[in-house]
Amino acid sequence: MAQPSASDRRQSVRAGVVWDGVRRLLEADGSEHARIVDIGGGTGGFAVPLAELGHSVQVIDPSPDALASLDRRARERGVADQVTGQQGDLSDLATLVDEADLVLCHGVLEMVDDPAAALSAIAGVLRPGGHLSLLVAQRHAAVIARAMAGHFQAARELLDDEVDAGATSRGGQRFTHDQLVDLLEAAGLQASAVQAVRVFADLVHGSLLDLEPGATAALVELERAVATRPEYLPLAAQLHVIAAR
């Protein structure tokens, strides 16, 4: 059996906590055939494994190349009948989706001009009792990352800028836990769980994962161990929030 590539090993560290949270949610709901919408789902990193669990997944993504890769991956894994791809973005949600049990919005909210309107659009397609899996970049960790890179003025500006003027930059908007809770509540969604994601993963040099036997598995377990500890939330590069309608 081929060994995972260095890229795959690093991705397993970054996505492990989020995948655990999504899987626990589906198991708790007891739904074996959930209707899932993955906004910005790209090539199917979440969609295809969820389809393999028996769920129906609709991926909405603006990139035709990503959707073509999604189709190939779904066919290769034998779940083409359970995965559909449609070109679009959050602004098209109301016209593309009738109703969903679960919406995945991972790494997308940062890039929209109006996060409040985007969350309201998501709430509009969720069935009563449905859930949102929201993954966003976190402000506090971005301040630390900029300072560690020697960009001290940029770190200070981000620290003091409550509305994050960097929203239009490549990195997009960054949120604090309290900002997310307020935005979700305004959209009629209630946060039920928050996880710290990538507390250590971005601080560990890639060569350690590539060269040290068992390092990837150990780091994944460490990330899982701190994911639900509130004292580590400010250090997380991303926050994973589960919210209910």
Side-chain angles (χ1 to χ4, degrees):
M1 182 179 295
Q3 294 297 315
S5 67
S7 175
D8 288 341
R9 289 195 292 273
R10 285 189 285 271
Q11 182 60 25
S12 71
V13 174
R14 295 187 175 108
V17 168
V18 180
W19 174 250
D20 289 347
V22 170
R23 186 170 54 189
R24 281 196 302 267
L25 172 64
L26 290 167
E27 290 173 352
D29 278 355
S31 175
E32 297 181 358
H33 305 288
R35 297 162 298 175
I36 300 173
V37 174
D38 189 353
I39 302 167
T43 61
F46 272 81
V48 171
L50 286 169
E52 289 178 319
L53 292 177
H55 306 293
S56 298
V57 188
Q58 179 182 2
V59 175
I60 298 173
D61 196 283
S63 168
D65 291 338
L67 292 175
S69 296
L70 166 71
D71 182 66
R72 288 193 297 271
R73 177 182 284 188
R75 292 181 183 279
E76 290 170 358
R77 303 276 281 270
V79 292
D81 290 343
Q82 294 163 255
V83 178
T84 60
Q86 291 178 283
Q87 190 170 1
D89 54 31
L90 266 168
S91 64
D92 304 309
L93 200 59
T95 60
L96 295 177
V97 179
D98 293 327
E99 188 176 64
D101 300 308
L102 171 64
V103 172
L104 309 184
C105 183
H106 296 169
V108 175
L109 194 68
E110 297 97 318
M111 310 309 296
V112 303
D113 293 331
D114 190 342
L119 290 174
S120 293
I122 292 172
V125 301
L126 277 174
R127 66 165 175 81
H131 289 87
L132 164 65
S133 171
L134 179 66
L135 181 67
V136 299
Q138 194 213 178
R139 175 191 296 271
H140 301 312
V143 174
I144 294 172
R146 291 186 181 189
M148 290 183 65
H151 305 308
F152 306 121
Q153 183 60 35
R156 179 58 185 270
E157 291 172 357
L158 182 57
L159 177 68
D160 291 338
D161 185 359
E162 293 185 0
V163 298
D164 193 355
T168 57
S169 69
R170 175 185 288 185
Q173 174 81 303
R174 297 166 183 85
F175 302 89
T176 66
H177 172 266
D178 290 345
Q179 285 175 325
L180 283 178
V181 170
D182 289 345
L183 283 168
L184 288 165
E185 289 182 350
L189 300 168
Q190 184 68 43
S192 57
V194 182
Q195 296 187 107
V197 177
R198 291 164 53 192
V199 176
F200 305 108
D202 293 359
L203 303 177
V204 174
H205 197 280
S207 62
L208 294 177
L209 300 184
D210 300 338
L211 300 176
E212 292 292 330
T216 299
L219 183 54
V220 169
E221 288 306 310
L222 179 60
E223 290 279 357
R224 285 170 170 156
V226 301
T228 57
R229 299 191 182 191
E231 63 268 29
Y232 285 91
L233 285 178
L235 302 177
Q238 294 175 300
L239 297 178
H240 180 220
V241 182
I242 298 294
R245 178 175 174 224

